[in-house]
Amino acid sequence: MTQYLLSVVQPVGERPAPEAMARIGADVAAFHEELRAAGAWVFAGGLHGPESATVVRVGGNGGQEVLLTDGPWIEAKEHLGGVCIVEAADLDAALEWGRKAARATTLPVEVRPFLG
């Protein structure tokens, strides 16, 4: 089995209304339960917005200096909103999980295999 990263692509801006978020939350919980029942679950979690990020970057002094910068390192209209790692037999199976994740979250989902 290969592990795949399902990345939830979230637009910058206001979140859906509380009623919509409750429905999405229930759909995501059902999706995660389906993953567990199928033996495909590895890990999943949502992320705070990009404004909560801190970028850690190697600086000068031969890489001895480490610089910290508050906020995202690029400005974008979309950001990583959450991740799910699944085990799947092949890309087609992983893409099916990606389809289900997109339906549950109502957001685009990028599917990528891990190296090795």
Side-chain angles (χ1 to χ4, degrees):
M1 292 275 217
T2 301
Q3 290 186 340
Y4 291 84
L5 175 66
L6 310 182
S7 302
V8 178
V9 181
Q10 187 170 334
V12 171
E14 289 193 36
R15 298 178 66 109
E19 311 81 48
M21 286 303 296
R23 187 188 77 254
I24 291 167
D27 290 347
V28 170
F31 168 65
H32 290 168
E33 189 53 43
E34 184 179 354
L35 283 170
R36 286 183 184 95
W41 170 271
V42 176
F43 173 82
L47 298 168
H48 287 278
E51 67 282 353
S52 69
T54 301
V55 177
V56 181
R57 167 181 294 126
V58 174
N61 199 13
Q64 298 301 309
E65 228 177 280
V66 177
L67 306 174
L68 303 178
T69 307
D70 290 337
W73 62 278
I74 64 169
E75 293 218 13
K77 294 180 182 180
E78 300 173 324
H79 62 273
L80 182 61
V83 298
C84 183
I85 300 171
V86 300
E87 288 190 348
D90 54 30
L91 179 59
D92 288 336
L95 290 172
E96 185 56 33
W97 287 122
R99 285 182 190 94
K100 291 179 180 190
R103 285 186 194 109
T105 63
T106 71
L107 295 170
V109 173
E110 179 185 76
V111 178
R112 294 174 65 184
F114 280 90
L115 293 172

